[in-house]
């Protein structure tokens, strides 16, 4: 069954939320890429806002605005994906517990430390009693939420589904992960990712929500042709056959793809596979990238889906997205992301 | 008592992340829950943490919160009668 | 397409294996005791369903790569998943797609509690903090990688992993799925529940008029679920069918359930519909029954809404195991399968008087030979995430 994206909203480190222009201005960062936040008082009252951490604010705002955009009040399901969930509240509770040796602790931060606060708060706000799951499978968290949503539509369980990917980064979490050599050792511009010669990347965050449906609305952004992912792939040959088999299974060939969005993150070791693909399997296809805009985080593929769906709707590939300066007006986009040669994911979208 | 009420209001604002409210905006007699300030059961738990930390009062039964926190005045009276510090 | 259960595995405070758990249940022997393994200042004032094995002991027993490099949730999950795999007689077969789906809430929190403030001591811990780590390690242990997923919907996480696994089989995306829930005790959750003031300092009393709250517990419960085709190919008889599943949201409050039991009612109703059963077909319900004031009254109201004056035999096993959070659905699904397999109903220990408004009396003695055909099990979580599964005799 065809699946359409009828609403697409993102809060990210770039000006992506309810803007008149499509990425014509780009924000530069050198360490943490924190999301650009709207004035949340435009969306919630003081009593509602008082408990929301940053992730809850960006989660609730993008989710509710997506529903509004699609004109859907009671979605058939709410599926969310998050790699790390509500880290800020988790850290607040954990730190206070450790600092006070299990002293006076706040129930609010504990309650809101659970990952499913994300999906549950949306349900609570919309009084939506339908299916509701939060996926936490690292860089495939959003893919799982999307796959579940597509399955529910195919099962006839729901017509319109709210699906999103959300993560936040905190200074403390950034510092802890520094020890694993995940980040660039020195400040590094997000606009220089393609010129990187070192390991490590720049961490980011964001929330991207979509309303997907079996019916195309007037506001339709794109059609999801397919989604597939694989946890382990043995070598480059296996990877090329993963692409070929998936395209073939969906009656497509490489020539049908007009633009590939690669998950390049500036870590020279991790990025090798993207460049290898770009120079072989997709050598005749225009290439783009997105993590210089969003930063690296577990649900960055949700940001990529926001980007791809907007490219198709606006008929325009922002210059900042292009790897090569090829002129391209894509009808079909493939998003490819992976995590250290694991968790390979493909999403293919076309114009609706 | 007035000093205590002022302190309680400031502590409530801090404990419940209500920094956008000024102490004057919280009525001493109106209900803290429901129609009044609009607090809920999670806030009641937060206020119990406040009582223990600031005044050394341990409330054993969460159901008692309803009465203690019915208004700023009732909170002040309860604290006056039970405070350990 | 039908989905079958072909194997079970379990570790809880009342036993390290299926057999040990079954003996404790039959003998009405609770696992709720003083806290000894978890290092907390609250150990003298609280009891819990604690497994009396250290991480080192668990790790050694499983032969996991490095002692003390896996969080406790991961060790418990591997322990139970391994038993389930063996119980199902499953072997890797490249002709069949095998997946692993796990529900959890705390992930690697026990290690984070030690190292968050001392990352220099063991900087690697942050890699094991996220929930997905557990599933990756279970998949690695069983060499089953076709699809892996982790779900975190608070206390309904375990049941939701089974619901997803069943749907993946029905959608012909997997042939066999290792599904379950795992959670360990941690200072984080113990202190968290303390702030909510819903911990009973003594053994909990689910569905009792004078219930005072819940006891936390830990453990892991896993099922192997399989397609008919996979079972036929290896000539294996299943234990029972996973016939129904339902997922709904209460959408009322972040931690409390609505007074009319809407979420629980909807998840049970949906599960009946998927199983194509009527309320009167249910012979036993392993209820969520945490022992908190709010859960038991609202679950009871939902039961009466759905079953009217004919609420089936029911019991909560949480006064044996404690509330194991994300693992509870996993553990209680295994108990439900055992109920069908042995035609057995487990007692709700520590019950004396019914809740007045409900008048519902749980089963308090071991019942055998009732001719059980269909068993329902419930899990309700923070955020109003409610789920129900139904298992049926073949």
């Amino acid at each position: 069954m065809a699946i359409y994206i009828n609403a697409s909203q993102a809060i990210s480190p770039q000006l992506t939320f309810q803007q008149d222009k499509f990425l014509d201005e780009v924000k530069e960062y050198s360490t943490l890429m924190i999301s650009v936040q709207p004035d949340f008082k435009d969306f919630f009252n003081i009593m509602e806002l008082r408990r929301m951490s940053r992730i809850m604010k960006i989660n609730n705002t993008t989710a509710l605005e997506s529903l509004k955009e699609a004109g859907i009040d009671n979605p058939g399901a709410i599926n969310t994906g998050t790699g790390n969930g509500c880290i800020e509240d988790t850290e607040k509770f954990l730190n206070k517990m450790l600092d006070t040796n299990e002293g006076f602790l706040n129930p609010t931060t504990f309650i809101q430390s659970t990952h499913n606060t994300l999906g549950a708060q949306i349900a609570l706000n919309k009084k939506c009693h339908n299916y509701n799951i939060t996926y936490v499978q690292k860089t495939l968290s959003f893919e799982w939420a999307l796959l579940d949503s597509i399955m529910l539509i195919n099962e006839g369980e729901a017509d319109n589904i709210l699906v999103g990917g959300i993560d936040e980064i905190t200074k403390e979490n950034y510092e802890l992960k520094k020890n694993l050599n995940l980040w660039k050792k020195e400040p590094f511009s997000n606009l220089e990712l393609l010129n990187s010669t070192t390991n490590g990347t720049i961490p980011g965050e964001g929330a991207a929500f979509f309303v997907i449906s079996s019916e195309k609305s007037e506001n339709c952004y794109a059609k999801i042709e397919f989604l597939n992912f694989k946890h382990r792939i043995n070598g480059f040959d296996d990877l090329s056959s993963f692409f070929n088999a998936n395209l073939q299974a969906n009656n497509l060939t490489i020539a049908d793809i007009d633009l590939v969005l690669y998950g390049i993150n500036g870590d020279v070791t991790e990025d090798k596979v993207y460049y290898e693909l770009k120079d072989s399997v997709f050598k005749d296809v225009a290439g783009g990238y997105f993590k210089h805009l969003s930063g690296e985080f577990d649900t960055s593929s949700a940001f990529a889906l926001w980007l791809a769906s907007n490219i198709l709707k606006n008929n325009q590939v922002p210059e900042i997205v292009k790897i090569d300066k090829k002129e391209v007006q894509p009808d079909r986009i493939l998003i490819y992301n992976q995590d250290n040669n694991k968790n390979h994911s493909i999403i293919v979208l076309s114009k609706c | 008592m007035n000093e205590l009420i002022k302190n309680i209001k400031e502590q409530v604002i801090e404990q419940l992340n209500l920094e956008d409210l000024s102490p004057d905006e919280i009525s001493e007699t109106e209900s803290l829950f429901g129609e009044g300030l609009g607090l809920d059961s999670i806030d009641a738990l937060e206020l119990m943490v406040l009582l223990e930390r600031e005044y050394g009062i341990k409330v054993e039964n969460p159901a008692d919160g309803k009465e203690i926190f019915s208004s700023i005045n009732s909170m002040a009276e309860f604290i006056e009668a039970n405070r350990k510090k | 397409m039908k989905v079958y259960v072909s194997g079970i595995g379990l570790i809880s405070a009342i036993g390290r294996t299926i057999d040990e758990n079954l003996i404790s249940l039959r003998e009405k022997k609770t696992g709720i005791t003083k806290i000894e393994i978890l290092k907390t200042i609250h150990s003298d004032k609280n009891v819990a369903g604690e497994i009396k094995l250290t991480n080192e002991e668990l790790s050694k027993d499983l032969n996991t790569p490095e002692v003390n490099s896996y969080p406790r949730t991961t060790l418990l999950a591997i322990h139970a998943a391994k038993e389930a795999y063996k119980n199902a007689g499953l072997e890797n077969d490249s002709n069949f797609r095998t997946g692993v789906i796990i529900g959890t809430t705390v992930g690697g929190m026990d290690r984070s509690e030690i190292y968050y403030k001392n990352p220099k001591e063991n900087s690697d811990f942050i890699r094991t903090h996220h929930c997905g780590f557990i599933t990756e390690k279970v998949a690695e242990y069983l060499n089953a990688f076709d699809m892996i997923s982790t779900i975190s919907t608070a206390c309904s996480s375990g049941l939701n992993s089974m619901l997803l696994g069943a749907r993946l089989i029905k959608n012909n995306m997997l042939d066999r799925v290792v599904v379950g829930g795992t959670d360990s005790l941690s200072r984080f959750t113990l202190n968290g529940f303390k702030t909510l003031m819903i911990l009973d300092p003594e053994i909990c009393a689910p569905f009792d008029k004078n219930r005072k709250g819940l006891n936390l517990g830990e453990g892991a419960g896993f099922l192997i679920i399989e397609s008919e085709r996979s079972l036929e190919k290896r000539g294996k008889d299943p234990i029972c069918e996973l016939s129904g599943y339902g997922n709904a949201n209460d959408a009322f409050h972040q931690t409390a359930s609505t007074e009319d039991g809407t979420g629980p009612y909807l998840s049970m109703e949906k599960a009946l519909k998927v199983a194509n059963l009527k309320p009167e077909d249910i012979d036993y319900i392993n209820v969520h029954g945490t022992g908190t004031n709010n859960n038991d009254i609202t679950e009871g109201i939902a039961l009466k809404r759905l079953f009217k004056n004919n609420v089936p035999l029911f019991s909560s096993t949480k006064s044996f195991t404690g509330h194991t959070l994300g693992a509870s659905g996993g553990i209680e699904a295994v108990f439900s399968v055992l109920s069908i397999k042995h035609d057995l109903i487990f007692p709700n220990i520590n019950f004396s008087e019914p809740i007045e408004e409900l008048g519902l009396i749980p089963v308090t003695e071991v019942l055998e030979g009732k001719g059980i055909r269909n068993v329902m099990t419930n899990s309700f979580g923070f955020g109003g995430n409610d789920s129900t599964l139904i298992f049926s005799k073949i």
Side-chain angles (χ1 to χ4, degrees):
Chain A
M1 196 186 291
I3 308 283
Y4 298 95
I5 298 177
N6 287 339
S8 174
Q9 297 279 338
I11 292 179
S12 76
Q14 301 300 330
L15 298 168
T16 50
F17 185 66
Q18 303 190 337
Q19 300 288 316
D20 297 332
K21 294 194 171 147
F22 181 37
L23 287 176
D24 64 335
E25 185 191 326
V26 182
K27 288 202 170 277
E28 190 171 2
Y29 296 84
S30 60
T31 49
L32 294 184
M33 296 178 70
I34 303 281
S35 45
V36 178
Q37 295 162 66
D39 187 352
F40 294 110
K41 285 185 193 144
D42 293 345
F43 303 93
F44 302 100
N45 66 39
I46 298 172
M47 292 307 276
E48 288 173 314
L49 279 172
R50 77 190 197 280
R51 282 188 192 143
M52 293 185 202
S53 57
R54 189 168 75 246
I55 193 171
M56 291 314 304
K57 286 178 187 156
I58 62 175
N59 174 76
N60 293 352
T61 308
T62 42
L64 297 176
E65 287 301 299
S66 296
L67 289 173
K68 206 189 217 178
E69 185 186 11
I72 301 288
D73 203 51
N74 188 40
I78 297 172
N79 284 322
T80 42
T82 181
N84 272 306
C86 308
I87 324 180
E88 191 185 313
D89 275 333
T90 304
E91 283 177 344
K92 268 191 192 161
F93 190 83
L94 181 62
N95 283 328
K96 204 161 181 193
M97 182 185 87
L98 297 172
D99 291 341
T100 62
N101 193 25
E102 308 183 45
F104 303 115
L105 297 165
N106 302 81
T108 309
T109 45
F110 173 66
I111 292 164
Q112 299 191 156
S113 70
T114 58
H115 299 78
N116 64 318
T117 309
L118 298 166
Q121 284 276 316
I122 305 164
L124 188 58
N125 192 295
K126 299 310 285 185
K127 297 274 168 274
C128 174
H129 294 293
N130 298 327
Y131 186 98
N132 187 311
I133 285 198
T134 299
Y135 287 94
V136 292
Q137 191 57 52
K138 213 158 182 261
T139 56
L140 293 176
S141 305
F142 172 68
E143 279 80 348
W144 270 108
L146 185 58
L147 176 67
D148 186 354
S149 305
I150 293 171
M151 276 181 2
L152 285 170
I153 291 177
N154 287 332
E155 288 164 7
E157 286 300 311
D159 298 326
N160 296 290
I161 295 180
L162 179 69
V163 55
I166 321 94
D167 268 297
E168 69 178 338
I169 180 83
T170 62
K171 192 84 189 14
E172 188 169 10
N173 203 263
Y174 167 79
E175 292 294 336
L176 288 169
K177 286 184 175 161
K178 219 181 202 174
N179 298 325
L180 299 180
N181 300 320
L182 290 178
W183 319 131
K184 294 283 183 210
K185 294 223 175 347
E186 306 293 332
F188 189 90
S189 165
N190 57 316
L191 305 181
E192 292 297 322
L193 282 194
L194 292 182
N195 304 322
S196 165
T197 54
T198 55
N199 282 322
T201 179
I202 304 180
E205 64 168 27
F209 270 89
F210 310 90
V211 173
I212 68 164
S213 172
S214 50
E215 303 274 334
K216 153 176 151 179
S217 76
E218 273 177 26
N219 190 49
C220 183
Y221 281 74
K223 179 176 157 189
I224 301 177
E225 299 208 320
F226 71 90
L227 151 76
N228 203 354
F229 50 83
K230 208 169 172 187
H231 301 279
R232 290 207 164 169
I233 278 180
N234 303 313
F236 194 75
D237 289 347
D238 202 11
L239 183 62
S240 351
S241 46
F242 177 58
F243 277 97
N244 287 318
N246 271 294
L247 289 171
Q248 207 178 0
N250 291 283
N251 297 317
L252 294 170
T253 65
I254 305 277
D256 295 318
I257 306 293
D258 304 313
L259 174 70
V260 178
L261 292 178
Y262 298 96
I264 292 169
N265 72 7
D267 180 309
V268 282
T269 313
E270 274 206 63
D271 285 348
K272 228 178 254 166
V273 64
Y274 296 117
Y275 291 114
E276 242 175 287
L277 272 173
K278 197 177 162 305
D279 292 338
S280 57
V281 179
F282 296 111
K283 65 178 188 300
D284 299 320
V285 186
Y289 68 131
F290 56 91
K291 285 183 187 164
H292 59 315
L293 302 173
S294 67
E296 177 66 284
F297 59 101
D298 287 336
T299 49
S300 64
S301 50
F303 176 81
L305 188 65
W306 172 86
L307 178 62
S309 57
N310 276 277
I311 289 174
L312 292 170
K313 185 168 181 169
N314 292 327
N315 270 320
Q316 179 208 344
V317 185
E319 282 305 312
I320 189 73
V321 171
K322 295 176 183 171
I323 295 178
D324 27 44
K325 298 297 163 198
K326 275 183 203 156
E327 236 357 274
V328 58
Q329 268 224 5
D331 289 329
R332 188 175 283 110
I333 301 177
L334 183 150
I335 302 166
Y336 168 56
N337 194 31
Q338 53 97 27
D339 168 24
N340 228 338
N341 235 339
K342 282 187 310 197
N343 299 342
H344 304 263
S345 95
I346 310 176
I347 305 173
V348 175
L349 295 183
S350 62
K351 277 185 110 86
C352 53
Chain B
M1 196 71 174
N2 279 345
E3 186 62 23
L4 177 63
I5 284 179
K6 186 173 158 267
N7 287 345
I8 295 174
K9 283 187 179 179
E10 280 165 4
Q11 287 157 354
V12 167
I13 286 172
E14 200 209 332
Q15 186 79 15
L16 305 181
N17 293 326
L18 292 167
E19 278 82 5
D20 288 318
L21 282 182
S22 75
D24 298 342
E25 287 174 86
I26 303 177
S27 147
E28 282 116 59
T29 51
E30 258 183 64
S31 168
L32 292 174
F33 295 86
E35 289 296 300
L37 192 55
L39 302 185
D40 64 14
S41 60
I42 298 173
D43 296 304
L45 293 169
E46 289 285 355
L47 294 179
M48 285 181 203
V49 176
L50 189 160
L51 285 185
E52 192 173 354
R53 193 188 58 223
E54 301 294 333
Y55 303 100
I57 307 173
K58 201 166 166 58
V59 181
E60 295 290 346
N61 187 355
D64 296 342
K66 215 171 186 177
E67 206 172 308
I68 304 167
F69 306 127
S70 60
S71 68
I72 292 288
N73 278 342
S74 67
M75 237 179 121
E77 280 161 28
F78 180 78
I79 290 169
E80 273 294 307
N82 296 285
R83 65 189 301 169
K84 305 256 163 29
K85 56 180 180 186
Chain C
M1 194 192 278
K2 289 189 173 184
V3 176
Y4 296 96
V5 178
S6 61
I8 47 181
L10 177 59
I11 180 165
S12 78
I14 57 167
R16 299 166 196 189
T17 60
I18 292 286
D19 291 344
E20 283 184 23
N21 272 274
L22 204 48
I23 290 168
S24 299
L25 287 167
R26 281 181 186 272
E27 294 179 352
K28 295 173 73 171
K29 218 171 90 190
T30 183
I32 296 166
T33 59
K34 262 184 67 178
I35 299 172
E36 289 164 8
I37 306 280
L38 181 73
K39 299 294 168 236
T40 165
I41 65 158
H42 303 302
S43 53
D44 55 336
K45 290 208 183 94
N46 285 278
V47 290
E50 185 178 56
I51 296 165
K52 303 299 180 200
L53 288 170
T54 62
N55 287 13
E56 287 72 20
E57 287 166 328
L58 283 163
S59 184
K60 217 166 146 193
D61 180 47
L62 294 168
N63 246 331
T64 45
E66 294 158 65
V67 170
N68 201 20
S69 66
Y70 286 6
R72 191 165 174 86
T73 44
T74 305
L75 296 169
L76 295 174
I78 296 175
H79 183 103
K82 182 185 169 190
E83 187 187 20
Y85 215 68
K86 199 170 157 216
N87 184 264
L90 213 56
E91 278 167 18
N92 291 336
D93 179 343
S94 56
N95 291 312
F96 292 96
R97 299 155 296 177
T98 309
V100 182
I101 303 166
I102 294 178
T104 185
T105 68
V106 295
M109 189 57 83
D110 62 321
R111 275 163 57 81
S112 296
E113 285 169 0
I114 301 171
Y115 302 117
Y116 226 81
K117 296 273 174 186
N118 318 294
K120 293 255 149 61
E121 262 177 52
N122 187 343
S123 58
D124 181 61
F125 88 93
I126 197 71
R127 198 174 52 84
T128 69
H129 177 83
H130 71 96
C131 299
F133 178 83
I134 302 167
T135 315
E136 284 171 10
K137 292 301 151 186
V138 171
E140 221 168 79
Y141 200 87
L142 302 173
N143 196 20
F145 277 106
D146 290 312
M147 286 186 118
I148 69 173
S149 187
T150 311
I151 288 173
S152 195
T153 50
C155 306
S156 60
S157 307
L159 283 196
N160 281 331
S161 77
M162 295 170 177
L163 170 150
L164 176 68
R167 289 175 51 229
L168 288 168
I169 289 177
K170 286 192 180 183
N171 280 278
N172 193 24
M173 300 178 83
L174 286 173
D175 305 295
R176 309 151 160 193
V177 202
V178 181
V179 289
T182 181
D183 257 326
S184 74
L185 286 172
S186 69
R187 287 199 282 159
F188 190 91
T189 40
L190 182 67
N191 280 281
F193 277 87
K194 238 179 106 57
T195 66
L196 301 182
M197 301 178 82
I198 50 173
L199 289 177
D200 188 335
E202 290 169 41
I203 299 174
C204 66
F207 276 85
D208 190 277
K209 181 184 162 189
N210 298 310
R211 67 199 179 284
K212 291 197 180 65
L214 59 82
N215 309 130
L216 288 173
E218 62 182 349
F222 277 78
L223 306 178
I224 306 297
I225 56 175
E226 248 182 288
S227 69
E228 199 160 4
R229 194 177 71 92
S230 168
L231 284 167
E232 262 171 22
K233 169 80 190 302
R234 63 193 194 97
K236 169 81 183 170
D237 287 329
I239 308 170
C240 64
E241 189 191 338
L242 196 179
S243 55
Y245 44 77
N247 169 309
N249 194 287
D250 203 42
F252 169 69
H253 186 274
Q254 187 61 28
T255 53
S257 316
T258 172
E259 276 168 22
D260 63 359
T262 298
Y265 171 83
L266 289 172
S267 76
M268 289 190 281
E269 191 192 38
K270 279 188 191 176
L272 281 174
K273 200 177 150 212
V274 171
N276 200 16
L277 292 173
K278 293 189 204 65
E280 58 266 32
D281 295 324
I282 300 297
D283 303 303
Y284 165 57
I285 308 175
N286 185 304
V287 292
H288 188 51
T290 57
T292 64
N293 189 35
N294 181 250
N295 178 81
D296 295 2
I297 186 95
T298 51
E299 186 172 13
I301 287 167
L303 289 173
K304 290 178 88 167
R305 252 178 96 180
L306 184 64
F307 295 98
K308 309 282 186 299
N309 289 325
N310 299 305
V311 174
L313 296 172
F314 75 95
S315 63
S316 163
T317 43
K318 288 200 170 65
S319 35
F320 284 95
T321 60
H323 186 0
T324 58
L325 308 180
S328 64
I331 290 173
E332 287 154 28
V334 173
F335 289 166
S336 303
V337 171
L338 286 171
S339 171
I340 290 179
K341 188 176 173 192
H342 299 286
D343 199 358
L344 193 63
I345 293 178
F346 309 114
N348 189 119
I349 52 174
N350 214 17
F351 172 88
S352 40
E353 271 183 89
I355 300 167
E356 272 167 41
E357 304 94 297
L358 296 175
L360 290 174
I361 300 175
V363 173
T364 55
E365 295 299 329
V366 179
L367 295 181
E368 271 184 273
K370 287 274 167 191
I372 290 176
R373 299 155 304 153
N374 302 298
V375 175
M376 178 181 262
T377 184
N378 285 333
S379 284
F380 311 134
F382 274 9
N385 284 102
D386 300 333
S387 291
T388 299
L389 290 191
I390 299 173
F391 296 94
S392 299
K393 193 177 164 69
I394 297 161

